[in-house]
Amino acid sequence: MYGTPRPSVSAVKADRLETDTFRLMGRVSGGRYEQAFGDVRPAVLAHYRDLEHLRYDYPLILLENDRDGGFVTSLSETVDRVLTAVAPKGIGGERLRKMGLNIEAEIRSSTARGTSGRLKQLWKEVSERLLAGAGKTGDDALVEITASLGDALRTDGLLLDCDAETPLHFFRHAWEAIQRNRERRIRTDIENRILKLNDILKADYMRSEQGRSPGVLKLSLGDIHGDVFDFERLSTILGKARPGDALPEARRRRIESALAVLESQRFVGLTGTGTHGGSYGYFFESGAEALRAIRDRLDEMVSLLKAIAIADLEIANRYDASLHDAVLDRFDARFVSPDDFSLFPTYFVHLRDHPIVAEEQASLIEILSSDMPVKVLLQSDDILGELAASATPSVAGTPGSRLARMAIGLDAAYVMQLAASHLYQLREAALNGMAYAGPTLFSVFSGATGHAGGLPPYLVAAAAVESRAFPTFVRDPGTGTDGASRVRIDANPQAESDWVVHRLDYEDENLNRTPDEVAFTFVDFALCDDRLSGHLDSVPRTCWSDDMLPVTEALESGDCDPFNAIPFVPVVDENDVLHRTIVDNALIHAARRCRAAWRGLRALSDEPGRDAAAAIEEPVTSAPPESDQRAPQPEAGGTSDSPYIETPRCTSCNECTKINSRMFAYDENKQAYIADPDAGTFRQLVEAAEHCQVAIIHPGLPRNPNEADLDALLERAQSFT
């Protein structure tokens, strides 16, 4: 890009009155400083005009039953895995790599233009189109290369570009992945209780006179044995039922009542019923509606909790009517605990944050202040709307971002704020929020403002993060010992600084390359919104002067004297020519407010300089002390006869340690590992895998070949290999 001539002080003085007027009042129609050039953008974004030809996170792939685990991956990573698998190193694999990258670029271009579909289908269509377009359908080698790439593609799922619908697709897919595991665990628990209660009643029936009658004995053994046994004589041998053998009538009624509740509950569908989610729905577009649904279902929830308690006590033959009757009679909605909520599916609420009426805001605060497992996605598509509509702009903000800041102070809530540009980088933290036992708020900026000119939503979202207008943070109640240690801001670039600084290289008027350090501020982000053009204006080159100073310097000083310094930001036009855009006082004030809010957020975090990738995106468990004798943990995704846990993905939900605290233990990061695989049974390993909310426990193979019901347990364990 090219620079400009040396500033002319005399030219600046001639236009000073109009410049000063702009600083105080913004751009005046018909004035000299109506924009003298067309499509401009912050200079830092000069290299990002055509995202279709850059390799970055998008499009995403929403995985379904992927063998590598997880719920999402990126097209670029998928292509890299394919090429690593099939392309030889060196010149021998060059044609494969070139074709693979061409297919990737074409798929990215298609999704950016609005094409939707699944990866394998688009891969096939693009491959055929590229072969036909190259006129080489007869090139057997190239056809074979393309076929090899397609055969190596194991991943499949819906492709997702960055747009206004991305946050909902992404978070709903994550929620459904967690929900399936949760419902499967709940379904298994209920069905096991039903089976065991029926066994108690069946055993009692077989001890009764009716159960020992010839006809019933014959039915119990089947017609195939009719010629082998004399059922009349067998009935006589078994003798009459004794009164003491039968279940007490009160116990029978109690078991039958609990069975009726377990079999008729509507929270999850049972095997063989034809439904997999019960008759209740869990997706809502209003927090108030979700709260009403929870309240309407509360009586049935209490009845089911009582039935579960009765079932567990009866199965263990520990029900004491003199004690438990009184306790269960008093049990009602007041006594429902967070552990009780873990026995039910979670709720998902999606809403846009404009507008949020008073009732809705009150409902969201109630949800986030509770112990209810409700996951709220509060999507912002426009974070500069209030600023643009105000005659005296102060700072950007939305009801969603303000609610997220407020929710940081709530003890029970998991809070995550991020832009759509960072969804893939923070996928693990997002999944942890979905698996969290209590309420979760995801505040997300899509970048699809509709007022960014030619900038795609991905760049707008990324610019919001870089400028501190919509910073990323995660507040996890399960980490740390105080408020500061639970808030992480490390996913923000250069989190230790007020503004992100980039290197900018340009050519001056003598075609000499000139490097510079340029900060990306809130003013740069405002430049991306055409509604704020009245607060920014280009300056003719003849009016550049020495008293112009970068916006960062103006922000560091006190209120700028409109008759002295003139703040500016560097921009480029459609030809990548460097210009200066001056800023009025109102936008400078808004930028200061933005910086103050960012500093306040930094003050809430105890380690603003810690590396984001280690802290949030991919947590790494530190090495245990030498005295910690763990069982070996195979690599995730590998195959092993030994049981193992994907420890770095553990959400500390306590499900496995409740089953067997000697077999399962927590490390110093409160993440689970298998401490002693011989301290329990294979059944406990399988049950722990079924209870795990993020499906990271792998039971391996039985260590005791004589354990009961191994065939059935091995079949259940297949889902976790």
Side-chain angles (χ1 to χ4, degrees):
M1 64 185 71
Y2 292 91
T4 56
R6 183 171 298 176
S8 168
V9 176
S10 60
V12 171
K13 289 180 179 179
D15 293 310
R16 191 64 197 229
L17 178 59
E18 192 161 357
T19 302
D20 294 341
T21 301
F22 167 79
R23 288 291 317 287
L24 290 171
M25 303 176 60
R27 181 142 43 89
V28 179
S29 178
R32 177 188 294 273
Y33 297 142
E34 286 200 275
Q35 289 195 333
F37 46 90
D39 178 26
V40 297
R41 60 182 62 194
V44 171
L45 300 181
H47 299 295
Y48 303 100
R49 290 195 179 276
D50 190 358
L51 284 180
E52 295 179 17
H53 293 88
L54 296 177
R55 298 194 84 208
Y56 66 110
D57 289 345
Y58 282 88
L60 302 180
I61 305 168
L62 301 182
L63 299 175
E64 297 175 5
N65 303 317
D66 184 73
R67 66 177 60 187
D68 295 326
F71 72 102
V72 65
T73 188
S74 71
L75 178 63
S76 294
E77 286 196 7
T78 299
V79 171
D80 286 343
R81 285 196 296 268
V82 169
L83 294 179
T84 298
V86 302
K89 293 182 178 180
I91 193 66
E94 191 60 28
R95 292 190 77 186
L96 272 166
R97 284 188 289 272
K98 183 176 180 180
M99 176 57 79
L101 293 175
N102 286 342
I103 294 173
E104 175 190 340
E106 185 60 27
I107 291 176
R108 178 173 288 111
S109 179
S110 296
T111 57
R113 292 194 299 267
T115 301
S116 61
R118 301 176 64 81
L119 173 62
K120 286 189 175 181
Q121 181 60 35
L122 282 178
W123 186 284
K124 180 176 181 294
E125 293 173 1
V126 166
S127 299
E128 293 173 351
R129 188 161 65 245
L130 287 177
L131 282 174
K136 295 186 177 181
T137 52
D139 186 337
D140 293 340
L142 192 57
V143 172
E144 184 177 348
I145 284 173
T146 308
S148 298
L149 290 169
D151 292 342
L153 186 66
R154 306 297 183 185
T155 297
D156 197 17
L158 182 68
L159 283 161
L160 202 64
D161 196 32
C162 187
D163 57 33
E165 304 307 314
T166 298
L168 175 58
H169 286 303
F170 179 92
F171 282 99
R172 184 163 186 174
H173 187 70
W175 172 68
E176 288 173 344
I178 296 293
Q179 191 84 329
R180 282 193 298 271
N181 289 330
R182 192 179 182 110
E183 287 187 352
R184 180 179 58 193
R185 184 255 299 171
I186 297 168
R187 181 181 304 113
T188 299
D189 286 350
I190 291 177
E191 290 177 341
N192 284 342
R193 290 182 175 99
I194 291 173
L195 178 64
K196 291 174 182 178
L197 290 180
N198 275 318
D199 285 346
I200 293 174
L201 295 178
K202 182 178 180 181
D204 177 63
Y205 176 74
M206 296 305 296
R207 289 194 298 267
S208 69
E209 288 189 19
Q210 184 179 0
R212 297 180 181 186
S213 67
V216 171
L217 290 174
K218 184 176 181 180
L219 286 174
S220 66
L221 292 178
D223 293 338
I224 192 172
H225 300 292
D227 297 332
V228 179
F229 293 98
D230 183 342
F231 291 102
E232 293 286 346
R233 184 169 179 78
L234 181 60
S235 175
T236 302
I237 293 173
L238 291 175
K240 298 291 185 181
R242 293 172 295 180
D245 291 339
L247 286 177
E249 186 61 24
R251 187 183 182 195
R252 175 191 297 279
R253 288 198 304 268
R254 190 166 52 242
I255 292 175
E256 289 175 342
S257 176
L259 261 174
V261 173
L262 291 172
E263 291 173 338
S264 64
Q265 59 78 34
R266 294 178 287 175
F267 293 98
V268 295
L270 301 180
T271 302
T273 63
T275 61
H276 293 287
S279 59
Y280 284 141
Y282 297 94
F283 177 83
F284 297 89
E285 294 185 341
S286 162
E289 290 178 5
L291 276 179
R292 282 193 289 271
I294 293 172
R295 289 168 180 150
D296 290 344
R297 303 169 189 179
L298 201 52
D299 287 343
E300 186 175 343
M301 180 185 293
V302 169
S303 296
L304 182 55
L305 289 171
K306 289 182 179 181
I308 289 172
I310 291 171
D312 291 344
L313 289 167
E314 290 290 2
I315 290 168
N317 198 20
R318 290 174 40 234
Y319 194 97
D320 183 346
S322 64
L323 171 64
H324 296 121
D325 280 356
V327 173
L328 289 173
D329 285 344
R330 292 183 61 244
F331 185 82
D332 57 26
R334 295 171 299 171
F335 301 101
V336 175
S337 70
D339 287 340
D340 294 328
F341 273 112
S342 70
L343 301 177
F344 297 86
T346 62
Y347 292 74
F348 185 90
V349 177
H350 171 248
L351 63 159
R352 255 75 176 213
D353 70 357
H354 283 293
I356 296 183
V357 298
E359 179 194 12
E360 190 63 34
Q361 185 162 337
S363 298
L364 294 177
I365 293 174
E366 181 178 349
I367 288 170
L368 297 174
S369 304
S370 71
D371 295 317
M372 295 179 288
V374 182
K375 312 303 170 184
V376 179
L377 170 58
L378 190 49
Q379 180 175 331
S380 304
D381 296 319
D382 183 7
I383 62 175
L384 292 176
E386 292 183 1
L387 184 66
S390 173
T392 56
S394 56
V395 68
T398 66
S401 59
R402 289 191 287 270
L403 182 63
R405 294 288 186 103
M406 181 276 294
I408 289 178
L410 300 176
D411 288 338
Y414 187 108
V415 186
M416 184 176 188
Q417 178 170 287
L418 72 165
S421 55
H422 286 55
L423 287 175
Y424 187 61
Q425 297 176 35
L426 296 172
R427 61 195 181 279
E428 291 295 338
L431 198 63
N432 289 343
M434 284 297 177
Y436 175 64
T440 302
L441 172 65
F442 300 102
S443 173
V444 184
F445 174 48
S446 70
T449 67
H451 299 279
L455 287 178
Y458 175 84
L459 279 185
V460 177
V465 177
E466 291 255 337
S467 65
R468 316 303 194 197
F470 201 86
T472 299
F473 63 82
V474 178
R475 193 267 185 187
D476 184 353
T479 61
T481 57
D482 54 30
S485 60
R486 292 169 182 163
V487 178
R488 307 310 306 269
I489 63 169
D490 309 75
N492 296 279
Q494 300 177 27
E496 70 284 354
S497 304
D498 284 344
W499 308 110
V500 180
V501 176
H502 295 272
R503 179 186 174 91
L504 179 66
D505 290 326
Y506 63 95
E507 292 179 352
D508 62 19
E509 63 274 14
N510 297 317
L511 302 184
N512 294 319
R513 182 173 180 176
T514 304
D516 198 2
E517 298 289 330
V518 177
F520 195 85
T521 71
F522 176 82
V523 175
D524 294 87
F525 178 60
L527 187 68
C528 299
D529 193 300
D530 53 26
R531 293 168 298 178
L532 295 173
S533 60
H535 301 285
L536 300 130
D537 218 335
S538 63
V539 177
R541 296 185 181 185
T542 56
C543 294
W544 287 22
S545 66
D546 292 334
D547 54 6
M548 286 183 170
L549 74 165
V551 159
T552 49
E553 295 183 25
L555 293 173
E556 289 300 326
S557 65
D559 289 336
C560 290
D561 180 356
F563 300 102
N564 187 9
I566 306 173
F568 76 91
V569 291
V571 299
V572 293
D573 62 18
E574 63 272 17
N575 298 314
D576 280 343
V577 175
L578 189 65
H579 297 265
R580 288 179 178 178
T581 291
I582 61 174
V583 184
D584 71 4
N585 286 347
L587 206 51
I588 290 293
H589 177 62
R592 287 203 183 99
R593 290 284 302 276
C594 177
R595 183 184 59 186
W598 166 244
R599 288 177 176 176
L601 182 60
R602 285 174 55 198
L604 293 175
S605 173
D606 64 341
E607 296 180 86
R610 185 179 172 189
D611 180 67
I616 295 179
E617 181 181 351
E618 296 180 358
V620 178
T621 304
S622 57
E626 292 184 4
S627 60
D628 183 4
Q629 300 298 320
R630 311 184 170 203
Q633 306 290 303
E635 292 185 8
T639 58
S640 173
D641 293 347
S642 299
Y644 69 97
I645 296 177
E646 298 172 53
T647 297
R649 294 181 56 207
C650 174
T651 60
S652 309
C653 67
N654 299 325
E655 294 287 355
C656 60
T657 55
K658 288 179 184 177
I659 293 175
N660 187 328
S661 60
R662 292 184 298 116
M663 176 182 284
F664 304 99
Y666 282 134
D667 61 16
E668 61 278 6
N669 294 325
K670 205 175 187 304
Q671 292 181 299
Y673 67 97
I674 295 180
D676 184 357
D678 297 314
T681 63
F682 185 63
R683 176 180 295 277
Q684 289 177 320
L685 281 165
V686 174
E687 289 178 348
E690 291 172 338
H691 281 66
C692 179
Q693 297 180 6
V694 288
I696 60 172
I697 299 177
H698 305 275
L701 294 178
R703 303 174 76 83
N704 176 11
N706 298 317
E707 184 174 336
D709 300 324
L710 277 186
D711 289 343
L713 290 171
L714 283 168
E715 183 176 351
R716 287 162 59 183
Q718 280 296 315
S719 300
F720 308 100
T721 56

